[in-house]
């Protein structure tokens, strides 16, 4: 059954969200204690499309058919304040120049290890492919840093119902023994709007400290 937005969620997502800044170094990040939730995933997993669907704004996060376009930590915040979304560089894009890939990966890992106000990382996984080795590397980092993370399956509209059920089962097994992994997997489709209200409710609860 589709989860409906509660009052806290409606208030948070009723007003426009804004792009704050792009950070190429961890030192560029704001030094305050605002709660942050981040979105991580392989290149072309659909992060920007999911963020746009989440905030109800088509062009807040840049989307591209070219994997690896996001090369920095992009920060977004609602006018209501109290939380930031962090769109992280996509990982695992082998066609990008090696120095660029190494730079992005270093930025990702520094951010994941050293951000005390980072309350949740949503690890996006393309439902058509399931978790890959690069996803495991990021999850290992999060487990070591004791940063809570939750798997979000994207592009589930591209699969038949049985295929979605199979990838959910496989992903549950993949994270079963991981100490920092949230046990619930969020199933989404940015194109169809599936799971968007569920994710909004989760983010609103994190903002409120629940």
């Amino acid at each position: 059954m589709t989860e409906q937005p509660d009052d806290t969620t409606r208030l948070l997502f009723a007003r426009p969200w804004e792009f704050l800044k792009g950070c190429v170094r961890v030192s560029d990040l704001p030094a305050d204690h605002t709660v942050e939730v981040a979105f991580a995933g392989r290149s072309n997993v659909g992060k920007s499309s999911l963020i746009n669907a989440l905030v109800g704004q088509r062009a807040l996060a840049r989307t591209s058919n070219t994997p690896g376009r996001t090369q920095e930590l992009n920060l977004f915040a609602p006018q209501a304040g109290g939380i930031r979304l962090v769109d992280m560089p996509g990982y695992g894009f082998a066609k990008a120049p090696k120095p660029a890939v190494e730079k992005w990966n270093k930025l990702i890992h520094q951010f994941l290890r050293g951000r005390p106000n980072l309350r949740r990382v949503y690890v996006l996984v393309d439902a058509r492919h399931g978790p890959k080795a690069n996803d495991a590397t990021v999850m290992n980092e999060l487990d070591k840093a004791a940063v809570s993370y939750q798997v979000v399956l994207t592009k589930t509209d591209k699969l038949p119902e049985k295929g979605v059920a199979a990838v959910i089962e496989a992903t549950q097994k993949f994270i079963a023994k991981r100490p920092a992994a949230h046990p619930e997997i969020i199933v989404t489709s940015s194109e169809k709007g599936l799971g968007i209200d569920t994710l909004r409710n989760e983010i609103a609860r994190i903002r409120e400290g629940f």
Side-chain angles (χ1 to χ4, degrees):
M1 187 173 73
T2 302
E3 186 173 345
Q4 298 299 314
D6 55 29
D7 290 341
T8 301
T9 302
R10 290 190 186 95
L11 286 172
L12 179 59
F13 289 94
R15 297 177 183 175
W17 287 60
E18 301 170 331
F19 171 71
L20 297 179
K21 65 185 298 189
C23 302
V24 296
R25 294 175 295 274
V26 170
S27 60
D28 294 335
L29 290 164
D32 60 26
H33 301 291
T34 299
V35 171
E36 293 175 344
V37 296
F39 293 81
R42 290 171 56 83
S43 294
N44 213 26
V45 75
K47 282 192 292 88
S48 296
S49 295
L50 184 68
I51 290 171
N52 287 337
L54 196 61
V55 302
Q57 296 169 230
R58 291 187 176 184
L60 182 67
R62 295 182 303 174
T63 59
S64 173
N65 290 325
T66 304
R69 180 171 179 177
T70 301
Q71 300 177 18
E72 55 196 15
L73 299 170
N74 288 319
L75 309 184
F76 307 98
Q79 289 184 355
I83 196 166
R84 280 191 291 264
L85 303 186
V86 184
D87 182 12
M88 301 177 64
Y91 51 81
F93 182 49
K95 292 183 180 179
K98 188 175 179 180
V101 173
E102 290 175 349
K103 183 179 178 180
W104 304 343
N105 286 340
K106 182 179 180 181
L107 179 62
I108 289 169
H109 295 309
Q110 286 179 337
F111 174 71
L112 295 179
R113 286 197 303 264
R115 194 67 176 160
N117 48 328
L118 178 60
R119 301 296 170 79
R120 175 71 55 83
V121 176
Y122 292 103
V123 179
L124 276 54
V125 173
D126 190 324
R128 298 171 298 178
H129 308 301
K132 299 294 185 182
N134 286 328
D135 300 312
T137 298
V138 169
M139 291 179 192
N140 291 341
E141 192 95 42
L142 291 165
D143 286 330
K144 290 177 184 177
V147 175
S148 171
Y149 62 95
Q150 187 168 12
V151 173
V152 176
L153 293 177
T154 63
K155 306 184 182 182
T156 57
D157 58 296
K158 309 298 184 184
L159 290 176
E161 189 173 334
K162 288 184 178 179
V164 174
V167 75
I168 291 173
E169 182 178 359
T171 305
Q172 285 173 333
K173 291 179 180 178
F174 193 83
I175 65 171
K177 295 182 180 180
R178 293 185 171 274
H182 192 290
E184 180 185 351
I185 295 167
I186 299 178
V187 177
T188 68
S189 164
S190 300
E191 187 172 324
K192 303 295 183 181
L194 177 67
I196 299 303
D197 282 334
T198 299
L199 190 51
R200 285 173 174 168
N201 284 340
E202 286 283 332
I203 291 170
R205 290 166 190 154
I206 291 169
R207 177 178 178 265
E208 296 302 311
F210 298 114

